[in-house]
Amino acid sequence: MTRTALVTGGTRGIGAAIGRALKASGYRVAASYHGNDTAATKFKMESGIPIYKWDVGSFDACTEGVREVVADFGPIDVLVNNAGITKDSTFHKMTPEQWSAVVNTNLGSLFNMTRQVIEGMRIRKFGRIINISSINGQKGQFGQVNYSAAKAGDIGFTKALALENAKGGITVNAICPGYINTEMVQAVPKDVLEKSILPLIPVGRLGEPEEIARAVLFLAAEEAGFITGSTLSINGGQYMA
Ligand code: CAA
């Protein structure tokens, strides 16, 4: 049976690698994005994966966006809540906008997106919700009170939703990537990355987006039905939760 997967923030970085891996494994894949039209168009041309533009921070935009995807592909079996942003700042300098933007995009989106698909999954008795949290939601990170709070929230969301849907063939899991070689991590000031982050990664390098995509494939599989409510750390040994 061909399953349909929707990956949010699916045109760059980790999301793009997830979409490509799902497609290569035989899923029908749709990717949502919000800001970067040029990158999204390039991704679509290269991967052949259709793209949809909406803001996952808006419930109404998610309703409309998911409606479009379902009209094109049919019901969504696998939802990968990957879209996320950073607005790093020490807390004593953080603005309300930096707080709300990150919490809304990185945590609010899990409600906005998952609420669109959960009822159908319950009726069809199959679903895979995979939330891309972060090492920094597990351990905290200097300069990321907003991001760490939202990503920790993603883990609580995962566990509670997993409980509610465990009997219905729906699994809900979180992946916590460490520092992965993406534009988001490349935006960290070079000296901070080199002095405060890289030396803390026992494997001795950044992760690659494909190393996260591999775990998504594992959790999305039919055979992964007994794995629910789990938090999978993929961080090169930087934090062992
Ligand atoms: N741990 C401890 N101290 C730190 C620190 C750290 N990680 N980073 C900075 N400091 C210290 C500095 O050494 C400095 O101390 P002194 O004044 O004694 O020299 C003080 O904090 C202020 O530092 P800055 O001058 O750099 O302060 P700033 O306000 O200009 O910037 C910052 C602070 C925004 C936090 C900046 O350091 C930064 O961007 N850090 C990176 C944060 C980070 O790791 N983000 C992860 C992004 S990737 C991601 O989020 C993906 C994922 O899921 C893993």
Side-chain angles (χ1 to χ4, degrees):
M1 173 191 269
T2 304
R3 298 280 189 196
T4 297
L6 171 59
V7 183
T8 68
T11 60
R12 288 191 292 146
I14 292 174
I18 291 171
R20 284 198 172 95
L22 285 166
K23 187 176 181 212
S25 294
Y27 291 80
R28 274 187 297 262
V29 181
S32 85
Y33 76 103
H34 183 215
N36 191 331
D37 292 316
T38 311
T41 307
K42 185 165 180 277
F43 170 78
K44 181 185 168 184
M45 302 282 282
E46 286 172 3
S47 68
I49 293 172
I51 55 172
Y52 297 81
K53 184 173 182 176
W54 76 83
D55 177 4
V56 292
S58 155
F59 185 80
D60 291 345
C62 290
T63 305
E64 181 54 28
V66 171
R67 197 193 56 71
E68 264 185 65
V69 174
V70 171
D72 293 348
F73 285 91
I76 290 156
D77 304 301
V78 178
L79 171 64
V80 185
N81 284 313
N82 166 76
I85 58 169
T86 54
K87 293 207 180 285
D88 293 354
S89 161
T90 43
F91 184 71
H92 55 277
K93 295 182 198 165
M94 190 175 286
T95 63
E97 289 71 28
Q98 287 173 314
W99 170 262
S100 326
V102 169
V103 170
N104 200 31
T105 303
N106 297 8
L107 175 59
S109 62
L110 268 60
F111 176 82
N112 298 339
M113 285 301 302
T114 310
R115 189 66 186 78
Q116 313 294 338
V117 301
I118 196 75
E119 289 183 65
M121 288 178 173
R122 287 170 67 94
I123 291 165
R124 294 188 302 279
K125 300 205 175 310
F126 182 87
R128 297 282 183 263
I129 312 282
I130 301 166
N131 298 320
I132 307 301
S133 175
S134 165
I135 184 175
N136 293 343
Q138 296 173 294
K139 72 168 186 56
Q141 169 61 38
F142 191 106
Q144 285 200 310
V145 170
N146 50 2
Y147 187 90
S148 298
K151 292 294 186 178
D154 292 344
I155 297 172
F157 176 102
T158 299
K159 291 178 178 176
L161 192 68
L163 282 177
E164 289 186 9
N165 291 281
K167 284 210 171 76
I170 300 167
T171 67
V172 190
N173 291 289
I175 295 175
C176 290
Y179 283 74
I180 307 299
N181 189 14
T182 61
E183 286 168 46
M184 182 183 275
V185 167
Q186 283 149 16
V188 172
K190 198 166 178 290
D191 59 320
V192 176
L193 194 60
E194 282 172 5
K195 288 193 197 123
S196 309
I197 295 171
L198 279 171
L200 303 179
I201 305 176
V203 167
R205 62 170 174 85
L206 296 177
E208 292 301 327
E210 292 71 24
E211 293 176 302
I212 306 302
R214 183 171 166 76
V216 171
L217 284 185
F218 174 73
L219 292 172
E222 308 278 332
E223 297 82 357
F226 204 58
I227 308 174
T228 195
S230 73
T231 303
L232 180 56
S233 302
I234 308 178
N235 59 34
Q238 188 182 349
Y239 184 74
M240 302 186 189

